[in-house]
Amino acid sequence: MRKHIRCGRLFTGLSDKAERDQTIVINDERIDYVGPTAGAPKAAPGEQMIDHSKHFVLPGLIDVHVHLAYGNCKTEEDIDLYAPVEFRALRGLEAAQRVLKAGFTSICDPATSGLVSPSIRDAIEANLFVGPRVSASGPQITNRQGLTDWYPTWIGVPSTAIGVLCKDAAEGIAEIRKEVKDGVDFIKVAMDGDSMNPTSSTLTAGYNQEEITAMVREAHRLGKKVVVHARGDEATLYSARAGVDVILHASYMTERTLEEVVKSGAMLCPSYLLLVNNIDFTRPGDGAYPAFPDAHKRELEAGAKIHTLGRKAGVKYLVGTDSGFAITPYGEWHARELETFVKYFGFSPAEAIKCATVNNGSFVRHAGHVGSLEKGRFADILVFDGDPLADISQLQDRTRIREIFLGGDTVTHEVNPKAHRLRSEFSYQMWNEVYSQERIAELKRQSTRQAAE
Ligand SMILES: [Zn+2]
């Protein structure tokens, strides 16, 4: 049975404008007609008429950087060590449902434990559960200077981690072949680390040019795209030259490296939600304070400059959020990345929405079927009360969401407000500091002083 949606304003993703007096006709899970109401096919008796003539209608949003296995973690150990992989899969499914309720009808997960995210993808695709369309990598391929090899060498990278230590191109290629056999949608390589981590403080590339080039060639030969994590210049440069498909972050790339990125056609996905949330929300008392937010202020400053140049140079930008940390919890802040695109990189709100829909849609598993509102595409639609073209930050307000269509069906699933965390899911820090006699005396002096004031 067809559904006829009257749209107050319609943003299809095909232009920068939202048109008035438009209608979308959905037939089963796909769009049958998009255009002026005057030209729309007439509703046959019994067909459903849906009136959103007071609302703003746009394609379902897409977030290409959501880590379903992380569980809103507070520490690296939470990510890699705690909670059985089986529990993470169930928890990640619920996380995916939260992201969907925020208006994101497709997501990508670059880096997971075991086969957690491909399994969530398959469970949703088999209609066992409601959830967004998921594209998934396996664990990320990493080396000594990359992410995930955080622990002392005598501990190593545990099998439950979200990365696999591959010490050279041969090991990387073997891992790529295994992951492709296991059904991943794309390959993720951690080309460098994080400026905060003591083992990778200098942000050098974990693989040399020949190694990453060989791995990318093999992934492409097997028909899979490659996404890399690269915050530093060297890792970004090698990645661009190797012909990777997506570079996450690229914050410290130089203008010379940007030229290589332009030449290679790689897409960039800064994923700065983690930075801006960390800068804005981390408080004294948080273990990360103040070093981590300070590092992110420096990264944001560098990234704002180079990504503004990247936008002007015509690089194709993707919207991703690095959701799954305690500072970027599922379903909460995804749309804030679009505000970051406007505020720091100079995109117009319409362009930012197109990055999160059309551009993101060109990368995901269902490329060509999602990302814009066109005849023949999946009816993944967000109905919104407001005008995100006037104020992009409105998209963060979930109370403005009037309806979400996923493959033509209205999303009615509610997340359980009673969901909570279990002790067994996480590592725990018992004390913030060492309570020596001297420290206790100092604390006493402080409180006497405060009482006297
Ligand atoms: Zn990430």
Side-chain angles (χ1 to χ4, degrees):
M1 193 183 65
R2 292 193 304 186
K3 293 173 184 166
H4 302 249
I5 308 171
R6 279 291 295 275
C7 310
R9 294 178 72 199
L10 177 67
F11 185 88
T12 61
L14 302 179
S15 84
D16 281 0
K17 286 212 279 293
E19 307 288 346
R20 293 183 188 279
D21 298 319
Q22 302 287 299
T23 287
I24 300 175
V25 180
I26 302 173
N27 192 2
D28 193 19
E29 59 180 2
R30 291 187 186 261
I31 295 170
D32 211 24
Y33 173 85
V34 191
T37 301
K42 296 281 163 280
E47 287 186 343
Q48 201 182 344
M49 306 294 293
I50 303 166
D51 183 19
H52 283 304
S53 57
K54 294 203 165 47
H55 300 139
F56 191 102
V57 178
L58 68 161
L61 299 169
I62 301 173
D63 183 342
V64 295
H65 197 164
V66 178
H67 294 293
L68 294 174
Y70 288 17
N72 293 341
C73 60
K74 296 177 179 171
T75 68
E76 287 296 335
E77 288 81 357
D78 286 349
I79 297 176
D80 294 326
L81 306 182
Y82 295 94
V85 174
E86 293 81 356
F87 182 85
R88 294 185 215 182
L90 297 166
R91 187 181 63 188
L93 176 62
E94 198 264 357
Q97 292 177 334
R98 284 178 184 268
V99 184
L100 173 61
K101 290 293 286 182
F104 286 75
T105 50
S106 292
I107 59 177
C108 295
D109 186 344
T112 191
S113 315
L115 291 170
V116 163
S117 296
S119 301
I120 295 168
R121 173 198 71 197
D122 292 349
I124 292 169
E125 204 150 292
N127 284 329
L128 304 182
F129 300 95
V130 174
R133 303 179 197 279
V134 176
S135 307
S137 78
Q140 59 193 352
I141 291 166
T142 194
N143 206 351
R144 301 297 188 191
Q145 281 69 37
L147 305 171
T148 304
D149 189 20
W150 307 123
Y151 311 105
T153 312
W154 56 92
I155 303 288
V157 178
S159 64
T160 51
I162 49 107
V164 176
L165 183 65
C166 298
K167 296 189 290 296
D168 55 27
E171 288 186 10
I173 286 171
E175 176 64 21
I176 288 168
R177 289 173 181 157
K178 173 173 157 286
E179 291 188 13
V180 172
K181 178 193 171 192
D182 288 342
V184 302
D185 293 302
F186 61 95
I187 298 294
K188 164 81 180 290
V189 180
M191 268 300 279
D192 64 12
D194 193 290
S195 43
M196 266 302 291
N197 194 280
T199 60
S200 56
S201 54
T202 47
L203 279 176
T204 45
Y207 296 104
N208 64 29
Q209 186 67 68
E210 294 90 86
E211 288 168 327
I212 184 64
T213 300
M215 287 190 277
V216 171
R217 195 190 304 125
E218 183 63 4
H220 284 169
R221 187 183 72 82
L222 295 171
K224 299 298 171 191
K225 292 177 182 167
V226 179
V227 175
V228 298
H229 163 106
R231 291 196 192 273
D233 183 56
E234 186 182 36
T236 308
L237 178 66
Y238 292 173
S239 300
R241 284 180 178 162
V244 306
D245 301 276
V246 178
I247 302 173
L248 303 176
H249 316 304
S251 305
Y252 292 110
M253 70 174 157
T254 57
E255 289 184 44
R256 188 186 69 127
T257 296
L258 175 59
E259 280 171 28
E260 294 284 337
V261 170
V262 172
K263 223 193 296 171
S264 77
M267 298 182 274
L268 293 176
C269 181
S271 306
Y272 280 4
L273 180 72
L274 180 65
L275 277 60
V276 295
N277 277 12
N278 204 20
I279 292 164
D280 288 350
F281 304 152
T282 303
R283 298 177 303 147
D286 285 327
Y289 187 88
F292 204 19
D294 283 351
H296 277 163
K297 276 179 201 158
R298 291 192 292 276
E299 184 172 345
L300 179 60
E301 201 183 316
K305 271 190 211 128
I306 199 67
H307 288 308
T308 299
L309 293 176
R311 172 182 60 78
K312 288 179 181 164
V315 173
K316 191 165 167 183
Y317 273 83
L318 305 182
V319 169
T321 60
D322 237 331
S323 285
F325 294 95
I327 197 79
T328 55
Y330 305 112
E332 297 289 324
W333 300 105
H334 305 267
R336 197 177 189 212
E337 185 73 12
L338 286 90
E339 187 186 352
T340 298
F341 269 47
V342 172
K343 199 167 160 185
Y344 295 105
F345 312 147
F347 286 97
S348 71
E351 288 166 343
I353 294 172
K354 280 159 79 174
C355 289
T357 54
V358 178
N359 290 4
N360 278 6
S362 73
F363 173 72
V364 299
R365 174 183 174 82
H366 295 95
H369 300 272
V370 297
S372 61
L373 300 177
E374 287 177 78
K375 185 180 165 66
R377 297 219 170 194
F378 283 127
D380 294 356
I381 303 167
L382 177 58
V383 181
F384 190 76
D385 185 7
D387 183 2
L389 297 184
D391 177 3
I392 193 72
S393 72
Q394 285 182 1
L395 286 173
Q396 295 161 54
D397 181 356
R398 281 167 300 177
T399 66
R400 289 177 177 271
I401 294 177
R402 289 292 165 269
E403 192 161 7
I404 301 165
F405 292 92
L406 180 63
D409 289 330
T410 301
V411 172
T412 53
H413 181 86
E414 295 296 333
V415 291
N416 189 347
K418 289 182 182 166
H420 62 90
R421 302 155 76 96
L422 299 176
R423 177 71 272 157
S424 56
E425 292 176 60
F426 303 102
S427 62
Y428 53 99
Q429 183 176 337
M430 295 196 284
W431 297 281
N432 264 332
E433 50 184 308
V434 178
Y435 292 101
S436 64
Q437 291 193 3
E438 191 187 331
R439 183 65 183 134
I440 291 297
E442 196 179 304
L443 288 169
K444 272 189 188 149
R445 280 195 300 277
Q446 264 175 26
S447 64
T448 326
R449 223 181 300 129
Q450 273 160 10
E453 276 166 13

